[in-house]
Amino acid sequence: MALFEARGIHKRFGHQVVLERIDLGFESGQLSGIMGPNGAGKTTCFNVLTGQYKPDRGQVVLAGEDITGLAPNTIARKGIARSFQIMSLFDEYSALENLLIALPEVRERGFTMMNRLDSDSAAADRASTVLARVGLAGRERQRAGDLAYGERRALEIGVALAAEPRLLFLDEPTSGLSAKAIAGLAELVQGLKRDYSIVVIEHDMQFLFGLADTISVIHWGQVIASGAPEALRENKWVRRSMLGGKA
Amino acid sequence: MTAPILEVRGLVKRYARGLFRRRETFRLEADLTMHDSSIVGVMGPNGSGKTTLFELITGSNVPSAGSVRVMGRNIHDVKYAERDRLAIHYHQSYQVRHFRRTRPSFLMRPAGHDYPMVHLFDEPQFNTRDGYIGFMLDFFLRLKSEGRLVFVCLHPNEPYHLELMEEVCERFVFVLAGRVRESPDFRSLLREPDVRTYLGRLAPVHAA
């Protein structure tokens, strides 16, 4: 049984059907990719899977449990973490503080403990470990707002990892990054693959081809193709695009 | 006998201008019958009536005369909210689901299907640089293998547009000045003088 499944998802906004009979399955220990051109419905799909939107029809199932329509925070507590296409960090806080706030034990203690974060050495150690994991060792005291864009992206992934998720969703992680930063991000995600089940939603085909175990292609709000990257890459028109569309 | 997937019979759409002396500005006429699942390539100049034809097939536009039957059901007698369960119009990236309401929906028939039997792709954004084209073509083939009818409307401005039309389409329709006509195969289509004029520099020399 897949760790996470979407079964027959349908989502409509007014006259616009954004998702139609979407079936997806993400296996434990794998990196699953969802890709598609702009406007294909990827982010809406992401929002339905992570509970931001309730589907009109269909089911979302995590480890056999139907989580369709549950609130995003309830879904998060069940072990789904997500990063956003548009970054959602606290720029005034340091990288370490952003991580600390995301730790489950700190969130449970709430506001009263916030002013004493630095004195909680166990939490600080854990946060530092996660920071190192995303390649930000030595940046603990730096304001999030002062980090380079690629580092901010890494920090956001760290924030999602702080909750020790069963499944990590990344929405368009290459968005706005330079080619060099994308290469760094690919290296980071490659490292995380060993320990986490990950779903990456991405329009950059090359990025996913290099990382994913399986890929589903979404267009017109539907899954128009799926399979291993090697199989998808065999498509004549995909090969042609890799040669700059000239073959 | 099983009803054809699509039956367009005596279809006419007239557009006229003028308050007292109505003057016809555009007229579309079509007769088409598609019994089996297939991928149909549609070409024609801008303003020739391709999109109007698609709107009439999906029931988002009201005909002046004639009928459109999908799986034996008159699309204009099907409840508005269910018409996209029979035929669906994809305009580039988006799906067109606006219907001009002329009768109460509760007096109309259900679609009888859960997923569209006819898919009409109106100038899908094919781009050789991103590779998605290949997945789109695979999707058309999958829809056909599921017993559905697929229309792909292209306005060729690159040689590869003709290449992919030849690769996946089995039937061909050319629309010119409101007249809809079928060609038996791709070679015959490319031999037609109107089509060659329309294609201009893209018209293959060997097909003449």
mmCIF file of all heavy atoms in Angstrom, chain B residues 65-96:
data_model
loop_
_atom_site.group_PDB
_atom_site.id
_atom_site.type_symbol
_atom_site.label_atom_id
_atom_site.label_comp_id
_atom_site.label_asym_id
_atom_site.label_seq_id
_atom_site.Cartn_x
_atom_site.Cartn_y
_atom_site.Cartn_z
ATOM 1 N N ALA B 65 -29.483 26.339 -36.378
ATOM 2 C CA ALA B 65 -30.247 25.196 -36.900
ATOM 3 C C ALA B 65 -29.387 23.945 -36.744
ATOM 4 O O ALA B 65 -28.174 24.026 -36.536
ATOM 5 C CB ALA B 65 -30.580 25.417 -38.381
ATOM 6 N N GLY B 66 -30.032 22.788 -36.845
ATOM 7 C CA GLY B 66 -29.314 21.520 -36.790
ATOM 8 C C GLY B 66 -29.097 21.041 -35.370
ATOM 9 O O GLY B 66 -29.595 21.639 -34.404
ATOM 10 N N SER B 67 -28.353 19.944 -35.249
ATOM 11 C CA SER B 67 -28.166 19.353 -33.924
ATOM 12 C C SER B 67 -26.771 18.754 -33.770
ATOM 13 O O SER B 67 -26.103 18.433 -34.746
ATOM 14 C CB SER B 67 -29.216 18.263 -33.690
ATOM 15 O OG SER B 67 -28.993 17.199 -34.598
ATOM 16 N N VAL B 68 -26.377 18.610 -32.492
ATOM 17 C CA VAL B 68 -25.133 17.921 -32.136
ATOM 18 C C VAL B 68 -25.510 16.808 -31.164
ATOM 19 O O VAL B 68 -26.098 17.080 -30.115
ATOM 20 C CB VAL B 68 -24.140 18.881 -31.450
ATOM 21 C CG1 VAL B 68 -22.916 18.117 -30.965
ATOM 22 C CG2 VAL B 68 -23.734 20.008 -32.380
ATOM 23 N N ARG B 69 -25.227 15.585 -31.522
ATOM 24 C CA ARG B 69 -25.502 14.464 -30.620
ATOM 25 C C ARG B 69 -24.186 13.826 -30.202
ATOM 26 O O ARG B 69 -23.357 13.496 -31.046
ATOM 27 C CB ARG B 69 -26.391 13.422 -31.304
ATOM 28 C CG ARG B 69 -27.792 13.921 -31.517
ATOM 29 C CD ARG B 69 -28.713 12.875 -32.109
ATOM 30 N NE ARG B 69 -30.057 13.410 -32.189
ATOM 31 C CZ ARG B 69 -30.915 13.435 -31.170
ATOM 32 N NH1 ARG B 69 -30.592 12.876 -30.023
ATOM 33 N NH2 ARG B 69 -32.102 13.988 -31.315
ATOM 34 N N VAL B 70 -24.020 13.673 -28.889
ATOM 35 C CA VAL B 70 -22.862 12.971 -28.356
ATOM 36 C C VAL B 70 -23.389 11.718 -27.665
ATOM 37 O O VAL B 70 -24.250 11.816 -26.784
ATOM 38 C CB VAL B 70 -22.076 13.845 -27.350
ATOM 39 C CG1 VAL B 70 -20.875 13.084 -26.803
ATOM 40 C CG2 VAL B 70 -21.618 15.146 -28.004
ATOM 41 N N MET B 71 -22.924 10.562 -28.100
ATOM 42 C CA MET B 71 -23.410 9.276 -27.594
ATOM 43 C C MET B 71 -24.937 9.214 -27.673
ATOM 44 O O MET B 71 -25.610 8.707 -26.773
ATOM 45 C CB MET B 71 -22.950 9.045 -26.142
ATOM 46 C CG MET B 71 -21.458 9.151 -25.923
ATOM 47 S SD MET B 71 -20.489 7.996 -26.929
ATOM 48 C CE MET B 71 -20.841 6.439 -26.130
ATOM 49 N N GLY B 72 -25.463 9.787 -28.745
ATOM 50 C CA GLY B 72 -26.907 9.735 -28.988
ATOM 51 C C GLY B 72 -27.705 10.810 -28.282
ATOM 52 O O GLY B 72 -28.913 10.934 -28.498
ATOM 53 N N ARG B 73 -27.065 11.615 -27.428
ATOM 54 C CA ARG B 73 -27.807 12.654 -26.698
ATOM 55 C C ARG B 73 -27.573 14.016 -27.321
ATOM 56 O O ARG B 73 -26.408 14.398 -27.549
ATOM 57 C CB ARG B 73 -27.353 12.711 -25.233
ATOM 58 C CG ARG B 73 -27.762 11.477 -24.502
ATOM 59 C CD ARG B 73 -27.364 11.514 -23.061
ATOM 60 N NE ARG B 73 -27.678 10.169 -22.543
ATOM 61 C CZ ARG B 73 -28.306 9.938 -21.414
ATOM 62 N NH1 ARG B 73 -28.660 10.928 -20.642
ATOM 63 N NH2 ARG B 73 -28.559 8.709 -21.037
ATOM 64 N N ASN B 74 -28.659 14.722 -27.579
ATOM 65 C CA ASN B 74 -28.541 16.086 -28.082
ATOM 66 C C ASN B 74 -27.887 16.943 -26.996
ATOM 67 O O ASN B 74 -28.459 17.120 -25.916
ATOM 68 C CB ASN B 74 -29.923 16.627 -28.447
ATOM 69 C CG ASN B 74 -29.820 17.980 -29.122
ATOM 70 O OD1 ASN B 74 -28.878 18.741 -28.887
ATOM 71 N ND2 ASN B 74 -30.788 18.289 -29.969
ATOM 72 N N ILE B 75 -26.688 17.444 -27.273
ATOM 73 C CA ILE B 75 -25.915 18.159 -26.235
ATOM 74 C C ILE B 75 -26.689 19.380 -25.716
ATOM 75 O O ILE B 75 -26.556 19.761 -24.546
ATOM 76 C CB ILE B 75 -24.512 18.575 -26.766
ATOM 77 C CG1 ILE B 75 -23.581 19.012 -25.623
ATOM 78 C CG2 ILE B 75 -24.581 19.700 -27.786
ATOM 79 C CD1 ILE B 75 -22.849 17.914 -24.968
ATOM 80 N N HIS B 76 -27.529 19.959 -26.574
ATOM 81 C CA HIS B 76 -28.261 21.154 -26.151
ATOM 82 C C HIS B 76 -29.505 20.823 -25.327
ATOM 83 O O HIS B 76 -30.189 21.727 -24.858
ATOM 84 C CB HIS B 76 -28.603 22.023 -27.380
ATOM 85 C CG HIS B 76 -27.370 22.569 -28.030
ATOM 86 N ND1 HIS B 76 -26.744 21.935 -29.088
ATOM 87 C CD2 HIS B 76 -26.599 23.661 -27.731
ATOM 88 C CE1 HIS B 76 -25.660 22.624 -29.418
ATOM 89 N NE2 HIS B 76 -25.557 23.664 -28.620
ATOM 90 N N ASP B 77 -29.777 19.523 -25.141
ATOM 91 C CA ASP B 77 -30.858 19.097 -24.250
ATOM 92 C C ASP B 77 -30.317 18.580 -22.921
ATOM 93 O O ASP B 77 -31.089 18.141 -22.067
ATOM 94 C CB ASP B 77 -31.678 17.962 -24.907
ATOM 95 C CG ASP B 77 -32.548 18.483 -26.041
ATOM 96 O OD1 ASP B 77 -32.787 19.708 -26.084
ATOM 97 O OD2 ASP B 77 -32.965 17.668 -26.887
ATOM 98 N N VAL B 78 -28.997 18.599 -22.778
ATOM 99 C CA VAL B 78 -28.374 18.078 -21.555
ATOM 100 C C VAL B 78 -28.240 19.215 -20.542
ATOM 101 O O VAL B 78 -27.959 20.364 -20.907
ATOM 102 C CB VAL B 78 -26.996 17.459 -21.886
ATOM 103 C CG1 VAL B 78 -26.231 17.086 -20.612
ATOM 104 C CG2 VAL B 78 -27.170 16.236 -22.776
ATOM 105 N N LYS B 79 -28.426 18.902 -19.275
ATOM 106 C CA LYS B 79 -28.302 19.907 -18.204
ATOM 107 C C LYS B 79 -26.967 20.641 -18.346
ATOM 108 O O LYS B 79 -25.933 20.005 -18.578
ATOM 109 C CB LYS B 79 -28.342 19.216 -16.829
ATOM 110 C CG LYS B 79 -29.697 18.613 -16.469
ATOM 111 C CD LYS B 79 -29.570 17.834 -15.163
ATOM 112 C CE LYS B 79 -30.839 17.075 -14.844
ATOM 113 N NZ LYS B 79 -31.973 17.911 -14.484
ATOM 114 N N TYR B 80 -27.000 21.954 -18.154
ATOM 115 C CA TYR B 80 -25.800 22.771 -18.386
ATOM 116 C C TYR B 80 -24.604 22.263 -17.572
ATOM 117 O O TYR B 80 -23.495 22.160 -18.081
ATOM 118 C CB TYR B 80 -26.078 24.237 -18.029
ATOM 119 C CG TYR B 80 -27.183 24.834 -18.849
ATOM 120 C CD1 TYR B 80 -28.437 25.068 -18.303
ATOM 121 C CD2 TYR B 80 -26.977 25.153 -20.189
ATOM 122 C CE1 TYR B 80 -29.457 25.597 -19.062
ATOM 123 C CE2 TYR B 80 -27.996 25.693 -20.958
ATOM 124 C CZ TYR B 80 -29.241 25.905 -20.385
ATOM 125 O OH TYR B 80 -30.245 26.428 -21.143
ATOM 126 N N ALA B 81 -24.871 21.956 -16.303
ATOM 127 C CA ALA B 81 -23.768 21.565 -15.415
ATOM 128 C C ALA B 81 -23.191 20.199 -15.772
ATOM 129 O O ALA B 81 -22.153 19.811 -15.239
ATOM 130 C CB ALA B 81 -24.243 21.562 -13.967
ATOM 131 N N GLU B 82 -23.874 19.469 -16.662
ATOM 132 C CA GLU B 82 -23.393 18.111 -16.987
ATOM 133 C C GLU B 82 -22.882 17.990 -18.418
ATOM 134 O O GLU B 82 -22.439 16.924 -18.822
ATOM 135 C CB GLU B 82 -24.520 17.089 -16.743
ATOM 136 C CG GLU B 82 -24.921 17.005 -15.283
ATOM 137 C CD GLU B 82 -25.922 15.886 -15.005
ATOM 138 O OE1 GLU B 82 -25.922 14.891 -15.754
ATOM 139 O OE2 GLU B 82 -26.697 16.030 -14.059
ATOM 140 N N ARG B 83 -22.981 19.062 -19.197
ATOM 141 C CA ARG B 83 -22.539 18.970 -20.600
ATOM 142 C C ARG B 83 -21.068 18.617 -20.715
ATOM 143 O O ARG B 83 -20.659 17.927 -21.644
ATOM 144 C CB ARG B 83 -22.828 20.291 -21.332
ATOM 145 C CG ARG B 83 -24.301 20.454 -21.599
ATOM 146 C CD ARG B 83 -24.618 21.699 -22.381
ATOM 147 N NE ARG B 83 -26.062 21.882 -22.394
ATOM 148 C CZ ARG B 83 -26.693 22.896 -22.940
ATOM 149 N NH1 ARG B 83 -25.999 23.850 -23.540
ATOM 150 N NH2 ARG B 83 -28.002 22.978 -22.894
ATOM 151 N N ASP B 84 -20.278 19.105 -19.730
ATOM 152 C CA ASP B 84 -18.840 18.799 -19.794
ATOM 153 C C ASP B 84 -18.558 17.343 -19.427
ATOM 154 O O ASP B 84 -17.412 16.907 -19.442
ATOM 155 C CB ASP B 84 -18.031 19.761 -18.921
ATOM 156 C CG ASP B 84 -18.431 19.716 -17.462
ATOM 157 O OD1 ASP B 84 -19.225 18.843 -17.081
ATOM 158 O OD2 ASP B 84 -17.942 20.560 -16.689
ATOM 159 N N ARG B 85 -19.597 16.577 -19.079
ATOM 160 C CA ARG B 85 -19.433 15.134 -18.853
ATOM 161 C C ARG B 85 -19.538 14.377 -20.184
ATOM 162 O O ARG B 85 -19.283 13.190 -20.249
ATOM 163 C CB ARG B 85 -20.492 14.569 -17.889
ATOM 164 C CG ARG B 85 -20.672 15.274 -16.549
ATOM 165 C CD ARG B 85 -19.480 15.137 -15.653
ATOM 166 N NE ARG B 85 -18.467 16.130 -15.971
ATOM 167 C CZ ARG B 85 -17.197 16.009 -15.666
ATOM 168 N NH1 ARG B 85 -16.748 14.958 -15.049
ATOM 169 N NH2 ARG B 85 -16.334 16.954 -15.976
ATOM 170 N N LEU B 86 -19.981 15.091 -21.221
ATOM 171 C CA LEU B 86 -20.100 14.464 -22.547
ATOM 172 C C LEU B 86 -19.019 14.984 -23.496
ATOM 173 O O LEU B 86 -18.366 14.211 -24.180
ATOM 174 C CB LEU B 86 -21.480 14.757 -23.147
ATOM 175 C CG LEU B 86 -22.623 13.834 -22.720
ATOM 176 C CD1 LEU B 86 -23.925 14.279 -23.367
ATOM 177 C CD2 LEU B 86 -22.332 12.378 -23.079
ATOM 178 N N ALA B 87 -18.890 16.305 -23.549
ATOM 179 C CA ALA B 87 -17.903 16.899 -24.465
ATOM 180 C C ALA B 87 -17.254 18.081 -23.764
ATOM 181 O O ALA B 87 -17.937 18.866 -23.102
ATOM 182 C CB ALA B 87 -18.583 17.359 -25.748
ATOM 183 N N ILE B 88 -15.950 18.195 -23.910
ATOM 184 C CA ILE B 88 -15.234 19.258 -23.199
ATOM 185 C C ILE B 88 -14.285 19.996 -24.145
ATOM 186 O O ILE B 88 -13.621 19.388 -24.976
ATOM 187 C CB ILE B 88 -14.502 18.690 -21.965
ATOM 188 C CG1 ILE B 88 -13.880 19.820 -21.165
ATOM 189 C CG2 ILE B 88 -13.440 17.692 -22.341
ATOM 190 C CD1 ILE B 88 -13.580 19.439 -19.756
ATOM 191 N N HIS B 89 -14.267 21.306 -23.987
ATOM 192 C CA HIS B 89 -13.497 22.200 -24.852
ATOM 193 C C HIS B 89 -12.324 22.757 -24.041
ATOM 194 O O HIS B 89 -12.524 23.468 -23.063
ATOM 195 C CB HIS B 89 -14.444 23.331 -25.301
ATOM 196 C CG HIS B 89 -13.818 24.340 -26.202
ATOM 197 N ND1 HIS B 89 -14.514 25.445 -26.655
ATOM 198 C CD2 HIS B 89 -12.587 24.457 -26.745
ATOM 199 C CE1 HIS B 89 -13.733 26.173 -27.435
ATOM 200 N NE2 HIS B 89 -12.557 25.595 -27.492
ATOM 201 N N TYR B 90 -11.100 22.389 -24.420
ATOM 202 C CA TYR B 90 -9.907 22.924 -23.759
ATOM 203 C C TYR B 90 -9.381 24.045 -24.644
ATOM 204 O O TYR B 90 -8.926 23.788 -25.758
ATOM 205 C CB TYR B 90 -8.804 21.875 -23.657
ATOM 206 C CG TYR B 90 -9.173 20.588 -22.948
ATOM 207 C CD1 TYR B 90 -9.837 19.572 -23.637
ATOM 208 C CD2 TYR B 90 -8.816 20.383 -21.623
ATOM 209 C CE1 TYR B 90 -10.144 18.381 -22.999
ATOM 210 C CE2 TYR B 90 -9.120 19.188 -20.988
ATOM 211 C CZ TYR B 90 -9.785 18.196 -21.678
ATOM 212 O OH TYR B 90 -10.081 17.005 -21.059
ATOM 213 N N HIS B 91 -9.479 25.270 -24.137
ATOM 214 C CA HIS B 91 -8.950 26.391 -24.909
ATOM 215 C C HIS B 91 -7.553 26.687 -24.377
ATOM 216 O O HIS B 91 -7.407 27.189 -23.263
ATOM 217 C CB HIS B 91 -9.865 27.598 -24.783
ATOM 218 C CG HIS B 91 -9.431 28.730 -25.661
ATOM 219 N ND1 HIS B 91 -9.492 28.672 -27.020
ATOM 220 C CD2 HIS B 91 -8.881 29.916 -25.366
ATOM 221 C CE1 HIS B 91 -9.012 29.784 -27.534
ATOM 222 N NE2 HIS B 91 -8.629 30.559 -26.550
ATOM 223 N N GLN B 92 -6.527 26.334 -25.161
ATOM 224 C CA GLN B 92 -5.132 26.400 -24.729
ATOM 225 C C GLN B 92 -4.980 25.637 -23.408
ATOM 226 O O GLN B 92 -5.167 24.431 -23.392
ATOM 227 C CB GLN B 92 -4.660 27.841 -24.665
ATOM 228 C CG GLN B 92 -4.694 28.469 -26.063
ATOM 229 C CD GLN B 92 -4.166 29.871 -26.131
ATOM 230 O OE1 GLN B 92 -4.043 30.546 -25.142
ATOM 231 N NE2 GLN B 92 -3.858 30.309 -27.327
ATOM 232 N N SER B 93 -4.711 26.331 -22.275
ATOM 233 C CA SER B 93 -4.514 25.593 -21.019
ATOM 234 C C SER B 93 -5.812 25.384 -20.246
ATOM 235 O O SER B 93 -5.846 24.620 -19.296
ATOM 236 C CB SER B 93 -3.554 26.361 -20.108
ATOM 237 O OG SER B 93 -2.301 26.447 -20.700
ATOM 238 N N TYR B 94 -6.863 26.118 -20.615
ATOM 239 C CA TYR B 94 -8.044 26.145 -19.760
ATOM 240 C C TYR B 94 -9.221 25.409 -20.383
ATOM 241 O O TYR B 94 -9.260 25.168 -21.580
ATOM 242 C CB TYR B 94 -8.421 27.602 -19.434
ATOM 243 C CG TYR B 94 -7.299 28.293 -18.731
ATOM 244 C CD1 TYR B 94 -6.399 29.086 -19.429
ATOM 245 C CD2 TYR B 94 -7.079 28.079 -17.377
ATOM 246 C CE1 TYR B 94 -5.319 29.686 -18.784
ATOM 247 C CE2 TYR B 94 -6.014 28.665 -16.730
ATOM 248 C CZ TYR B 94 -5.133 29.470 -17.437
ATOM 249 O OH TYR B 94 -4.073 30.041 -16.792
ATOM 250 N N GLN B 95 -10.171 25.097 -19.534
ATOM 251 C CA GLN B 95 -11.361 24.405 -19.999
ATOM 252 C C GLN B 95 -12.529 25.390 -20.041
ATOM 253 O O GLN B 95 -12.715 26.166 -19.117
ATOM 254 C CB GLN B 95 -11.679 23.253 -19.055
ATOM 255 C CG GLN B 95 -10.545 22.250 -19.007
ATOM 256 C CD GLN B 95 -10.543 21.444 -17.727
ATOM 257 O OE1 GLN B 95 -11.561 21.302 -17.079
ATOM 258 N NE2 GLN B 95 -9.392 20.931 -17.363
ATOM 259 N N VAL B 96 -13.267 25.341 -21.142
ATOM 260 C CA VAL B 96 -14.363 26.300 -21.339
ATOM 261 C C VAL B 96 -15.647 25.669 -20.824
ATOM 262 O O VAL B 96 -16.069 24.637 -21.325
ATOM 263 C CB VAL B 96 -14.519 26.647 -22.831
ATOM 264 C CG1 VAL B 96 -15.638 27.666 -23.035
ATOM 265 C CG2 VAL B 96 -13.203 27.169 -23.398
#
